[in-house]
Amino acid sequence: MSLPRYKITVLALSLGVASAFVGCSSNPSKKEVVDKGPQSSEQVYFEKAQKSLERNQYTDAVKSLEALDTYYPTGQYTQQAQLELLYAKFKQKDYEGTIALAERFIRLNPQHPNVDYAYYVRGVANMEMNYDSLIRYTSLQQSHRDVSYVKVAYQNFVDLIRRFPSSQYSVDAAQRMKFIGQELAESEMNAARFNIERKAWLAAAERAQWVIEHYPQTPQTPEALATLAYSYQKLGDQATSQQYVEILKLNYPNLVKSNGEVNLRAARKEGSWVNRATLGLLGRESQTVEVKDEASGESEQRSLTNRLSFGLLGKPATEQSAAPAPVAAPEAPASTEKPSWKNRLSFGLLDKPEAKTTAEDDAAN
């Protein structure tokens, strides 16, 4: 059965309009980006990257270093450029890119004299993967969220210390492992608190026991002991519960009430309902709150104004840079010498330029 003439006309017009739109959608004026190969020599790329890094222009530095790595994969500056690319990517807060580059460098250069730096930066970048500025300025904790990246960072630092026990970065890595241990212990205790609320006494006891066995030197140990005593009491195992109560009496007597019961609230150091409702901004005993820096593990005092403005106002005098660095750089003496690439990669921790004395300056002038 043939279609009526007017339907054929409408169908033809529809197809014509559709074809016109499809033709217009492909923009013929848009030119495809064609890689024209290296536009400069290896040395020029490297010098441009050095100048960009000195000016904190990390985007330009990344472009030059990536071009050098692409066009001169076996050149004179390739390995050093790859290390500096780790630094630039980290400063851009591209932590995923930093981790990928570090793993590639470790895989391709296992015997490089500075491969320990790649191990170190990989761990620090994993620490920063879930970093949230909201956590810095409130009493919220990273350990109450996903800690998978923190566990990976812990293993990264273990690998660093095991492979390079005498590395310049091993001391800082060990300090970070201690901080991560506290975070993991807090994560376990947070799960134990949840289990107690839902009256899962055995699950709560298992979480607390894990803290006692694997993180015995952490601040969560008193609460873990109190949780074990409380949970076994609820389970009806009075003998085991009393053993933990006796341990608390010897080490933390303030966590045991006069009638012999465990003061679980004191062990948790719970804040008021106002403090919990305002995410830790209000309702604390003092007007300042001690907050741990996720990057360095150090504590710093922040005023009420600073917390209410989420860090915009009332900054402490020792406020660190907004971009957390892998190593806290000590204040370097004034020097007219440019820092070496090793000094810059370690954020001022290594290979410091010697400061000229006044006599030397006068002689130079």
Side-chain angles (χ1 to χ4, degrees):
M1 182 178 180
S2 61
L3 293 174
R5 185 182 297 275
Y6 77 93
K7 287 188 176 181
I8 295 177
T9 304
V10 172
L11 181 60
L13 289 174
S14 300
L15 292 175
V17 172
S19 300
F21 276 114
V22 171
C24 294
S25 62
S26 59
N27 187 2
S29 62
K30 186 177 181 180
K31 298 181 180 179
E32 295 183 1
V33 179
V34 179
D35 188 356
K36 299 180 180 179
Q39 303 299 306
S40 304
S41 66
E42 178 185 5
Q43 185 175 359
V44 171
Y45 273 126
F46 187 75
E47 290 176 353
K48 287 174 63 177
Q50 297 298 307
K51 292 180 180 178
S52 298
L53 289 172
E54 292 173 2
R55 299 169 183 171
N56 298 330
Q57 298 172 346
Y58 301 114
T59 301
D60 294 337
V62 166
K63 290 180 180 179
S64 298
L65 292 170
E66 286 181 340
L68 194 154
D69 187 33
T70 301
Y71 299 129
Y72 303 96
T74 58
Q76 178 183 359
Y77 302 101
T78 300
Q79 293 179 335
Q80 185 174 340
Q82 290 174 352
L83 289 173
E84 301 219 12
L85 188 57
L86 285 177
Y87 170 83
K89 284 284 188 179
F90 186 92
K91 296 297 287 184
Q92 284 185 319
K93 298 186 178 181
D94 182 3
Y95 303 126
E96 292 182 352
T98 302
I99 294 168
L101 288 171
E103 291 179 345
R104 188 190 71 162
F105 188 88
I106 292 170
R107 185 175 65 255
L108 298 178
N109 307 280
Q111 303 300 325
H112 193 276
N114 293 316
V115 70
D116 57 336
Y117 178 76
Y119 278 92
Y120 172 71
V121 174
R122 181 179 63 173
V124 179
N126 271 310
M127 283 186 69
E128 297 298 325
M129 283 294 290
N130 278 359
Y131 184 76
D132 191 342
S133 59
L134 183 64
I135 294 175
R136 180 192 290 269
Y137 302 111
T138 67
S139 63
L140 296 175
Q141 300 183 44
Q142 180 68 53
S143 54
H144 294 175
R145 306 170 70 193
D146 179 26
V147 294
S148 58
Y149 286 108
V150 179
K151 291 180 179 179
V152 174
Y154 188 91
Q155 188 59 47
N156 292 155
F157 293 133
V158 169
D159 292 342
L160 169 64
I161 295 176
R162 182 185 296 125
R163 294 173 182 270
F164 309 98
S166 59
S167 170
Q168 306 96 318
Y169 308 104
S170 294
V171 174
D172 186 77
Q175 293 176 350
R176 291 176 182 277
M177 289 174 61
K178 182 179 179 180
F179 172 71
I180 292 174
Q182 296 179 12
E183 293 290 285
L184 296 178
E186 177 60 26
S187 178
E188 294 293 330
M189 291 312 304
N190 189 51
R193 298 179 200 119
F194 172 76
N195 288 322
I196 286 179
E197 290 179 1
R198 56 193 286 263
K199 298 182 180 180
W201 313 118
L202 183 58
E206 289 177 348
R207 294 283 188 167
Q209 187 66 38
W210 183 270
V211 172
I212 297 299
E213 292 179 358
H214 295 87
Y215 313 110
Q217 304 299 325
T218 59
Q220 287 75 19
T221 299
E223 183 184 353
L225 291 170
T227 300
L228 284 168
Y230 184 82
S231 299
Y232 280 113
Q233 182 184 9
K234 291 295 184 180
L235 287 170
D237 190 347
Q238 300 300 329
T240 304
S241 175
Q242 188 59 35
Q243 290 179 1
Y244 287 109
V245 169
E246 295 299 326
I247 294 175
L248 287 172
K249 287 181 179 179
L250 291 174
N251 297 277
Y252 312 100
N254 61 310
L255 301 185
V256 181
K257 299 180 182 179
S258 57
N259 58 0
E261 295 181 356
V262 177
N263 191 347
L264 201 58
R265 184 181 180 88
R268 294 178 178 179
K269 298 180 181 179
E270 292 182 344
S272 64
W273 68 270
V274 177
N275 181 257
R276 294 194 297 271
T278 58
L279 304 181
L281 293 174
L282 304 175
R284 297 186 70 91
E285 296 181 356
S286 62
Q287 292 299 309
T288 60
V289 59
E290 185 177 283
V291 180
K292 281 188 175 181
D293 191 330
E294 299 291 330
S296 63
E298 297 179 351
S299 300
E300 52 187 3
Q301 297 290 333
R302 297 194 176 274
S303 65
L304 177 63
T305 304
N306 183 257
R307 286 180 285 126
L308 287 175
S309 62
F310 295 97
L312 296 177
L313 304 175
K315 297 180 181 179
T318 59
E319 179 74 31
Q320 294 184 356
S321 174
V327 185
E331 186 176 353
S335 175
T336 57
E337 298 181 13
K338 291 185 178 180
S340 64
W341 71 271
K342 193 172 184 179
N343 179 263
R344 187 170 58 253
L345 286 181
S346 63
F347 299 87
L349 185 67
L350 307 176
D351 198 18
K352 303 173 188 176
E354 296 182 358
K356 290 185 178 181
T357 62
T358 306
E360 291 174 340
D361 289 338
D362 293 339
N365 295 330

